């Protein structure tokens, strides 16, 4: 699964890396992005341009605004089988920019302890996490947009830490991902995660707290007591 990630680049940096974007808001950097918070998401606008917009992490379908379940992930293998995600996958696909994501590995000496690990591209390029989004009306009458990140079985470089990983989309597949009429069978190539050299290392246990958001969250941890 993917339950925490970091993205610290500016919208201008993202535009330089990914191409022209309509920027719709302010997007402060965050080293430890968590569910329930607002995060930058790239989606295709009705005129087929791409726009960067804020959305809340925790998927709510337009027909289920009162739902108590706010899934943060959707399995790519079953996404078209579940009514909760099916319509969004068909017509509201998105990319979530990330510099890295976190997973928690079990300590072989103490299975009750989970060690947070940071995973990112070795060359530190911005990752494009595949997502879906939807818009619903809140109880107070305001409209809100939310998203979930697709997950797939982990690549060998990641599987030693966790059995699943976010679907990192290969840039070659982006035009197909954005195609407004693409169907599941046509999107199959997109559901294979991009493979490139990965870098992984343990980080401070302070990352366990969603309130911890500091540059040190992305630094290797030496195993000492956190400050």
């Amino acid at each position: 699964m993917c339950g925490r990630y970091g993205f610290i680049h500016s919208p201008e940096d993202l535009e330089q890396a990914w191409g022209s974007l309509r920027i719709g808001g302010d997007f402060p950097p965050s080293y430890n992005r968590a569910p329930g918070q607002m995060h930058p998401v790239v989606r295709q606008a009705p005129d087929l341009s791409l726009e960067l917009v804020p959305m809340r992490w925790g998927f709510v379908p337009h027909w289920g605004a009162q739902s108590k379940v706010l899934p943060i992930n959707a399995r790519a293998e079953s996404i078209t089988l579940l009514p909760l995600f099916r319509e969004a996958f068909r017509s509201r696909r998105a990319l979530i920019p990330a510099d890295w994501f976190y997973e928690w590995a079990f300590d072989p000496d103490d299975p009750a302890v989970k060690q947070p690990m940071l995973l990112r591209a070795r060359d530190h390029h911005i990752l494009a996490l595949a997502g879906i989004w939807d818009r619903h009306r809140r109880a107070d009458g305001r409209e809100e947009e939310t998203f979930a990140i697709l997950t797939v079985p982990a690549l060998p470089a990641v599987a030693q830490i966790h059995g699943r990983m976010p679907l990192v989309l290969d840039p070659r597949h982006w035009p197909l991902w954005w195609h407004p009429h693409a169907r599941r069978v046509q999107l199959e190539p997109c559901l294979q995660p991009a493979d490139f050299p990965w870098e992984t290392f343990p980080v401070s246990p302070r990352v366990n707290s969603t309130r911890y958001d500091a540059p040190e969250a992305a630094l290797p941890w030496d195993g000492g007591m956190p400050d």
Side-chain angles (χ1 to χ4, degrees), residues 37-48:
Q37 301 171 353
M38 301 297 290
H39 304 299
V41 174
V42 177
R43 68 176 174 197
Q44 187 167 259
D47 64 1
L48 304 187

Side-chain angles (χ1 to χ4, degrees), residues 95-115:
L95 293 181
I96 295 87
D99 290 312
W100 59 79
F101 62 94
Y102 298 104
E103 290 293 359
W104 277 256
F106 286 102
D107 183 337
D109 298 324
D110 186 353
V113 175
K114 288 186 177 182
Q115 170 62 51

Side-chain angles (χ1 to χ4, degrees), residues 33-216:
R33 295 181 178 274
Q37 301 171 353
M38 301 297 290
H39 304 299
V41 174
V42 177
R43 68 176 174 197
Q44 187 167 259
D47 64 1
L48 304 187
S49 66
L50 297 181
E51 56 185 7
L52 182 69
V53 296
M55 293 189 191
R56 192 174 303 281
W57 189 8
F59 185 79
V60 181
H62 66 273
W63 45 263
Q66 305 307 315
S67 173
K68 303 297 183 183
V69 179
L70 306 177
I72 62 172
N73 294 150
R75 287 179 172 248
E77 305 96 305
S78 59
I79 197 166
T80 57
L81 304 177
L82 300 177
L84 178 63
F85 301 128
R86 189 165 49 212
E87 184 180 345
F89 179 70
R90 184 168 58 244
S91 57
R92 289 182 288 278
R93 297 181 294 275
L95 293 181
I96 295 87
D99 290 312
W100 59 79
F101 62 94
Y102 298 104
E103 290 293 359
W104 277 256
F106 286 102
D107 183 337
D109 298 324
D110 186 353
V113 175
K114 288 186 177 182
Q115 170 62 51
M117 304 287 292
L118 184 147
L119 301 93
R120 65 186 176 191
R122 191 176 298 166
D123 64 4
H124 297 189
H125 70 260
I126 299 173
L127 307 176
L129 309 185
I132 55 173
W133 67 276
D134 210 336
R135 180 187 297 116
H136 70 279
R137 189 171 296 279
R138 295 164 32 130
D140 60 10
R142 290 187 296 165
E143 285 193 334
E144 181 178 62
E145 293 178 335
T146 63
F147 72 94
I149 294 172
L150 272 65
T151 66
V152 292
L155 292 167
V158 178
Q160 57 185 327
I161 298 172
H162 198 277
R164 296 189 67 81
M165 64 179 287
L167 172 56
V168 181
L169 214 64
D170 191 308
R172 295 174 302 167
H173 298 148
W174 293 5
L176 181 57
W177 189 250
W178 298 126
H179 197 291
H181 304 302
R183 293 294 177 258
R184 168 64 191 243
V185 65
Q186 298 163 318
L187 291 168
E188 281 294 332
C190 301
L191 303 182
Q192 300 300 316
D195 200 2
F196 44 76
W198 287 85
E199 177 181 35
T200 67
F201 51 83
V203 293
S204 170
R206 295 185 69 184
V207 169
N208 294 337
S209 171
T210 59
R211 296 187 297 274
Y212 182 61
D213 190 357
E216 290 75 18

